[in-house]
Amino acid sequence: PLTRLEEEEEEEERANSNEKHKKILADYKGKLTAQDKLIFNMHFYKEVKVSRIATAIDQTLYFVKKRIKNMSNDLENLNTEKNISI
């Protein structure tokens, strides 16, 4: 019986944690420019190759790689600051 209660509490904590992560990520994405949102979604969600992203947004490979690196650093900093894993 106690184990069941503990499992339910852990499940509730995970759900709350997931909602917290979603809000933090949504807040971060909300601050991105339209072009950066496109790069973010294509790279992190759809796993589109950098060369295809560059072609799609008519930018250089270097530009896209630099934006992805900056976003990766931002996410890493969020992980450290908020003590979460995105």
Side-chain angles (χ1 to χ4, degrees):
L2 186 56
T3 304
R4 175 82 173 139
L5 180 61
E6 290 172 343
E7 289 173 1
E8 288 174 0
E9 287 176 352
E10 286 177 9
E11 189 174 315
E12 184 177 330
E13 285 178 24
R14 276 194 300 274
N16 289 339
S17 180
N18 285 339
E19 288 304 313
K20 181 181 175 184
H21 292 129
K22 286 179 185 177
K23 179 166 179 8
I24 291 169
L25 190 55
D27 289 346
Y28 172 75
K29 287 175 58 181
K31 296 175 185 174
L32 297 176
T33 65
Q35 187 173 61
D36 281 349
K37 284 179 189 173
L38 186 58
I39 294 169
F40 185 95
N41 289 332
M42 291 175 81
H43 179 74
F44 292 103
Y45 289 134
K46 297 184 179 181
E47 299 178 1
V48 176
K49 291 182 180 181
V50 176
S51 59
R52 296 214 45 213
I53 296 171
T55 300
I57 64 171
D58 196 29
Q59 288 289 348
T60 65
L61 200 57
Y62 174 80
F63 176 86
V64 174
K65 285 181 180 180
K66 187 70 174 166
R67 297 307 306 141
I68 290 170
K69 177 69 174 159
N70 289 345
M71 286 183 244
S72 294
N73 289 341
D74 290 345
L75 292 174
E76 191 173 310
N77 290 337
L78 276 176
N79 287 343
T80 303
E81 290 171 14
K82 307 285 185 184
N83 195 26
I84 60 169
S85 178
I86 297 177

